[in-house]
């Protein structure tokens, strides 16, 4: 090669980082927010109480409701709240002849069992799915794009370490007001500070989507994916309704039987097929609260004869166990709040690393343009995409939270409209930046995001009784922490807008000005 190895790695790092960089930024931003998806769920459903423990009284109320209003249904479903909150005790049932998705669902207070009117929302779950499914495109293509971006991320990390021979030395240098040098210092610092995390979260993310990237092992050994999942996660044989009536085991006893099998662990979801029939079967999935307990398989109970249905032992080997550990490391479901905040801050570092890298591409090349005030189309395209993604995506998230409080509670498809509002605001930022000079576009987009994030605690205090002050007084740390995070986000975006507003580009050296004048002549 004409260039040296390090120069080749620098070229690779530049282009592998730019082309999928906008997708990587979205993956890091939404994935980082999703570390607190259950807490976001709780904030976006303020009608739910802060307590998550399910009382026997509430289980009895759920059981009575299903028997009274779900009599004759094809199936009953019970969802128990997570220990981190975000959902109540919800029951639903499917009516014969209707689509299984078109079912009646009621949310109960997990302590008292009374019915609650809870607003429809996608909550934090949408933000979690967005970071690997994307939106408005098929799930398959969304995951393909994310996988390609993650593979590029691994290459960018390795080539970046090779490129910066003084990367660890430069980490301790943060020179402000130095133009390109400052952007490079920020990119190095955010990349090196959490470098092990960046490698881990990228690699484990690829393992999580392993069968999207490499489905051939399944294709070579199983007729389809359903057969593979049936072999790896044994299930009881499905039974048709017998037509013979039989009493169904009470819900409280079903939960107690499962806890006895799982060492006290609570179910997260219960599905009962053919309730009131002699072939009624309950399928229960456990909640995971401690990593040391390992993964527990679903439990099947014959709720007419009140016995556990034995299942064949799963054929798990070393590869399967390794993948499970990788998935657990990526999702951090086991993390307490201390470790979860460490994940979150490391994710913010990754988001900033992507943002500073994209901005550095423009800063580095602007000074080399013959006429920096009138760049060519390719440069303008990258610059506008940077503004639209880096400033537009957080603004969309702020609108998502605001619309959760401002939309009417009885709005049809309310959760879908919340999601649409995120992308409408994001698209508006894109459209606005196209009509504005680059510097003004940066300032106005970042300033808009700061204003909207600052409004979230205000609107929350006006529309609910769980504002920042009352939440701090009652030690409601989920709501208080959320509002404080919104204020911190507003402060961060406002500071960025202020820095861009105050920035004055340095004049080019006389030699470069002469060369530019000659080129224009």
């Amino acid at each position: 090669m004409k260039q040296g190895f390090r120069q080749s790695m620098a070229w690779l790092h530049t282009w592998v980082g730019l082309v999928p960089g906008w997708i990587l930024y979205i993956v890091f931003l939404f994935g980082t927010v999703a570390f607190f998806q259950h807490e976001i769920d709780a904030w976006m459903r303020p009608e739910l109480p802060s307590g998550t423990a399910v009382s026997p009284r509430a289980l009895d109320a759920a059981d009575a409701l299903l028997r009274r209003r779900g009599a004759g249904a094809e199936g009953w479903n019970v969802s128990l709240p997570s220990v981190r909150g975000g959902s109540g005790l919800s029951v639903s049932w499917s009516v014969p002849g209707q689509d299984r998705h078109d079912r009646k669902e009621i949310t109960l207070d997990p302590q008292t069992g009374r019915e609650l009117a809870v607003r429809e929302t996608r909550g934090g779950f949408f933000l979690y799915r967005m970071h690997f499914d994307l939106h408005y495109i098929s799930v398959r293509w969304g995951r393909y794009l994310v996988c390609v971006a993650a593979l590029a991320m691994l290459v960018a990390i390795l080539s970046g370490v090779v490129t910066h021979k003084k990367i660890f030395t430069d980490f301790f240098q943060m020179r402000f007001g130095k133009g390109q040098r400052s952007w490079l210092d920020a990119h190095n610092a955010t990349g090196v500070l959490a470098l092990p995390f960046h490698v881990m979260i990228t690699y484990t993310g690829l393992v999580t989507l392993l069968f999207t990237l490499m489905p051939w092992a399944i294709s070579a050994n199983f007729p389809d994916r359903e057969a593979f999942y049936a072999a790896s996660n044994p299930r009881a044989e499905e039974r048709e309704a017998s037509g013979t009536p039989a009493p169904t085991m009470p819900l409280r006893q079903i939960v107690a039987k499962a806890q006895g099998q799982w060492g006290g662990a609570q179910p997260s979801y219960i599905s009962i097929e053919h309730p009131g029939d002699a072939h009624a079967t309950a399928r229960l999935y456990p909640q995971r609260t401690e990593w040391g307990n390992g993964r527990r398989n679903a439990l099947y109970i014959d709720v007419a004869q009140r016995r556990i249905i034995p299942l064949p032992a799963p054929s798990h080997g070393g590869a399967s166990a390794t993948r499970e550990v990788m998935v657990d490391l990526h999702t951090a479901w086991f993390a307490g709040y201390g470790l979860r905040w460490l994940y979150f801050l490391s994710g913010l570092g990754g988001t900033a690393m992507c943002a500073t890298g994209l901005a550095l591409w423009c800063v580095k090349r602007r000074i080399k343009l013959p006429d920096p005030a009138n760049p060519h189309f390719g440069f303008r395209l990258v610059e506008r995409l940077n503004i639209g993604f880096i400033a537009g995506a957080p603004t969309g998230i702020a609108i998502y939270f605001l619309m959760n409080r401002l939309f009417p509670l009885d709005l049809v498809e309310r959760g879908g409209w919340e999601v649409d509002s995120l992308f409408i605001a994001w698209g508006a930022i894109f459209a606005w930046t196209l009509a504005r000079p680059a510097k003004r576009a940066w300032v106005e987009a970042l300033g808009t995001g700061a204003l909207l994030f600052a409004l979230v605690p205000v609107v929350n205090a006006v529309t609910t009784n769980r504002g920042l002050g009352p939440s701090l007084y009652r030690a409601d740390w989920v709501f208080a922490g959320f509002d404080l995070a919104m204020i911190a986000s507003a402060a961060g975006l406002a500071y960025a807008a202020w820095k861009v507003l105050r920035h004055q580009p340095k004049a080019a050296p006389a030699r470069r000005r002469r060369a530019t004048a000659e080129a224009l002549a």
Side-chain angles (χ1 to χ4, degrees):
M1 292 186 296
K2 294 181 180 180
Q3 293 180 322
F5 178 68
R6 184 169 285 111
Q7 288 74 21
S8 299
M9 288 296 102
W11 179 91
L12 180 65
H13 182 78
T14 297
W15 292 104
V16 167
L18 175 69
V19 176
W22 299 291
I23 295 179
L24 287 173
Y25 175 79
I26 294 306
V27 170
F28 264 99
L29 176 63
F30 283 84
T32 298
V33 173
F35 284 130
F36 287 100
Q37 64 165 309
H38 293 293
E39 288 74 16
I40 294 172
D41 280 338
W43 186 88
M44 297 183 77
R45 296 182 177 94
E47 299 84 5
L48 292 174
S50 56
T52 60
V54 180
S55 68
R57 176 184 174 186
L59 286 176
D60 290 342
D63 186 80
L65 189 150
L66 286 170
R67 294 176 189 275
R68 183 177 67 255
R69 299 173 62 177
E74 292 182 340
W76 296 343
N77 302 284
V78 181
S79 179
L80 285 78
S82 164
V83 293
R84 288 167 51 199
S87 60
L89 174 64
S90 64
V91 297
S92 62
W93 57 91
S94 51
V95 179
Q98 291 186 359
D99 187 271
R100 64 184 182 88
H101 297 291
D102 185 20
R103 61 189 184 187
K104 182 66 175 176
E105 182 171 347
I106 296 175
T107 302
L108 307 177
D109 186 307
Q111 283 295 309
T112 65
R114 66 182 178 88
E115 292 188 26
L116 300 174
V118 181
R119 66 190 64 196
E120 181 194 354
T121 180
R122 303 279 179 86
F125 183 70
F126 164 74
L127 302 176
Y128 161 72
R129 293 300 294 256
M130 174 68 185
H131 98 279
F132 61 92
D133 281 349
L134 304 182
H135 199 61
Y136 295 130
I137 62 175
S138 69
V139 169
R140 172 178 293 183
W141 282 106
R143 294 186 180 184
Y144 280 146
L145 288 173
V146 170
C147 285
V148 171
L151 287 170
M153 178 69 177
L154 278 181
V155 175
I157 290 174
L158 297 177
S159 59
V161 171
V162 172
T163 299
H164 300 288
K165 59 182 178 181
K166 296 182 179 179
I167 188 169
F168 291 104
T169 303
D170 290 345
F171 168 68
F172 296 98
Q173 298 184 21
M174 191 65 202
R175 289 155 285 195
F176 296 98
K178 299 294 184 181
Q180 178 182 331
R181 183 71 254 182
S182 298
W183 283 108
L184 184 59
D185 287 347
H187 187 60
N188 288 342
T190 53
V192 176
L193 180 64
L195 182 60
F197 172 84
H198 299 331
V199 175
M200 180 276 292
I201 207 71
T202 305
Y203 183 76
T204 55
L206 285 168
V207 173
T208 302
L209 298 177
L210 176 65
F211 298 128
T212 300
L213 281 173
M214 296 181 289
W216 307 288
I218 295 178
S219 302
N221 294 280
F222 297 92
D224 51 41
R225 291 202 175 197
E226 287 297 323
F228 164 73
Y229 290 123
S232 57
N233 298 289
R235 292 175 288 186
E237 183 179 352
E238 294 187 8
R239 301 192 297 179
E240 297 291 335
S242 66
T244 303
T248 298
M249 191 175 177
L251 193 58
R252 190 200 292 201
Q253 295 181 17
I254 294 175
V255 172
K257 202 170 192 66
Q259 289 178 323
Q261 288 291 117
W262 292 332
Q266 180 174 279
S268 63
Y269 185 78
I270 304 171
S271 174
I272 302 177
E273 297 177 355
H274 315 306
D277 188 85
H279 284 176
T281 303
R283 182 172 70 252
L284 297 90
Y285 297 94
Q287 283 195 21
R288 301 184 66 192
T289 55
E290 295 182 16
W291 201 3
N293 291 338
R295 289 178 179 261
R296 297 184 177 94
N297 294 320
L299 183 68
Y300 289 79
I301 301 176
D302 185 328
V303 291
Q305 299 185 14
R306 307 192 177 203
R307 64 179 181 86
I308 294 175
I309 300 174
L311 300 176
S315 55
H316 286 177
S320 178
T322 301
R323 181 178 179 273
E324 289 178 359
V325 171
M326 294 288 184
V327 172
D328 291 345
L329 284 172
H330 188 83
T331 57
W333 67 265
F334 56 87
Y337 279 111
L339 182 57
R340 190 168 299 280
W341 273 107
L342 186 59
Y343 262 79
F344 180 80
L345 294 174
S346 299
L348 284 183
T351 307
M353 176 184 65
C354 294
T356 54
L358 291 168
L360 181 61
W361 191 95
C362 287
V363 171
K364 187 175 181 179
R365 281 154 183 78
R366 181 182 290 278
I367 60 177
K368 298 179 181 180
L369 294 172
D371 184 7
N374 296 289
H376 54 79
F377 172 77
F379 184 92
R380 292 199 307 272
L381 175 63
V382 172
E383 189 172 48
R384 301 302 166 164
L385 285 172
N386 282 350
I387 301 171
F389 276 91
I390 295 173
T395 301
I397 293 175
I399 285 290
Y400 181 64
F401 294 145
L402 283 171
M403 291 301 102
N404 176 262
R405 293 296 191 259
L406 296 176
F407 276 144
L409 298 182
D410 58 352
L411 178 65
V412 179
E413 297 291 338
R414 189 179 191 278
W417 276 110
E418 288 179 0
V419 173
D420 291 339
S421 69
L422 185 156
F423 290 99
I424 291 171
W426 191 352
I429 292 292
F430 262 114
W432 179 258
T433 58
L434 292 176
R436 303 290 287 167
K439 182 176 180 178
R440 297 303 308 174
W442 273 115
V443 173
E444 291 161 0
L446 291 169
T448 300
L451 176 62
L452 292 172
F453 273 111
L455 283 174
V456 173
V458 177
V459 174
N460 177 52
V462 171
T463 56
T464 72
N465 61 355
R466 302 177 75 173
L468 180 57
S471 296
L472 288 172
Y473 178 77
R474 294 193 296 262
D476 189 352
W477 299 119
V478 170
F479 273 70
F482 188 96
D483 284 351
L484 291 173
M486 296 299 100
I487 295 171
S489 300
L493 291 175
Y495 177 76
W498 177 71
K499 292 292 288 184
V500 174
L501 180 63
R502 290 192 58 194
H503 175 68
Q504 295 295 333
K506 294 182 178 180
R511 183 176 61 183
R512 182 172 297 160
R513 290 200 300 269
R514 286 195 301 269
T516 301
E518 292 173 0
L520 291 175

